Amino acid sequence: MEFESTFGTAAPLLGMVHLPPLPGAPRAPDDGRRAMAAAVDRAASDARALDRGGVDGIVIENFGDAPFYPDDVPPHVVAAVTRAATAVAAETDLPLGINVLRNDAEAALSVAAAVDADFVRVNVHTGARVTDQGIVQGRAHETLRLRDRLGVDVGVFADTDVKHSAPLTPEGYTAESFADTAERGLADAVIASGSGTGEAVDAEALEAVVAERERHGLDTPVLVGSGVTPETVADLLGVADGAIVGTALKRGGETTAPVDADRVADLVGAADAVR
């Protein structure tokens, strides 16, 4: 994919659609049809609010399905995410991304191919991380080959030092892993996040990732993946090439609350001052 032409800007803001628990998840309603209907309704409503507020793209993920499968999710999860993503695509023409938690890139790519999405987010694309799901390992070799087999122009946006995890390698590897993710893993964009959902990225860590990109002579975009607010977005976009925003766009700043179009507009306005 071509980053700037996909989003219509060199510094896109991507808003999150955090799906409520899908059928089969521990916190989903006992009635599977009711759970699916609630997820579809919320996804469509959040997509409309994000579009109205002025974001440049949307990422949908099965956020409510905790505790997550470490890698391969069962077919009913793929089906539910596909149905919700279809509802989002029907509400907006914005570029769409898919993330299947915790780390099922094959499922995300399959959903993306089915709904004509533009990119996927992969939490662990190369290397390995210790997570609450155990050790999660990157499968870039499988992901890129599946994309070729499917014949789709779907970008792979891959995390480095992904949130809710810790490295297996020595301290200081985070920035260096950019080269493995982008140069050897062939990621189309790299995401730098804070330690958890809604947590701000460490400024020095973000700068180190960008510096590592420059040292290797790469032009892979770097996105901030968590903790972006109207107060910080201008400074972050002075370093990074875009941002994925969830919590700050929700009613009352609560991650699981519906998207608030006014909060979206406030963040977009703050970003537009430097874009």
Side-chain angles (χ1 to χ4, degrees), residues 155-178:
V156 173
F157 291 10
D159 282 87
T160 179
D161 198 27
V162 69
K163 55 193 173 184
H164 301 290
S165 74
L168 290 174
T169 50
E171 185 179 357
Y173 181 73
T174 300
E176 179 62 32
S177 70
F178 182 96

Side-chain angles (χ1 to χ4, degrees), residues 79-115:
V81 174
T82 302
R83 184 172 175 189
T86 300
V88 169
E91 295 292 338
T92 174
D93 292 327
L94 288 171
L96 179 61
I98 309 295
N99 186 20
V100 178
L101 298 169
R102 173 67 155 139
N103 201 56
D104 196 339
E106 179 176 347
L109 268 173
S110 300
V111 174
V115 303

Side-chain angles (χ1 to χ4, degrees), residues 14-135:
L14 312 181
M16 287 299 309
V17 170
H18 290 119
L19 295 175
L22 299 173
R27 291 181 291 185
D30 291 337
D31 184 331
R33 287 190 173 88
R34 188 159 63 88
M36 193 68 250
V40 168
D41 288 348
R42 168 62 73 82
S45 175
D46 283 354
R48 289 193 296 270
L50 288 168
D51 196 340
R52 195 161 61 247
V55 297
D56 306 297
I58 290 174
V59 184
I60 182 172
E61 70 178 23
N62 55 323
F63 183 82
D65 279 357
F68 303 112
Y69 295 94
D71 34 54
D72 299 335
V73 302
H76 70 267
V77 175
V78 182
V81 174
T82 302
R83 184 172 175 189
T86 300
V88 169
E91 295 292 338
T92 174
D93 292 327
L94 288 171
L96 179 61
I98 309 295
N99 186 20
V100 178
L101 298 169
R102 173 67 155 139
N103 201 56
D104 196 339
E106 179 176 347
L109 268 173
S110 300
V111 174
V115 303
D116 198 24
D118 300 275
F119 62 98
V120 297
R121 181 175 185 174
V122 183
N123 291 166
V124 183
H125 184 57
T126 58
R129 305 284 297 184
V130 179
T131 74
D132 51 313
Q133 296 82 32
I135 296 176

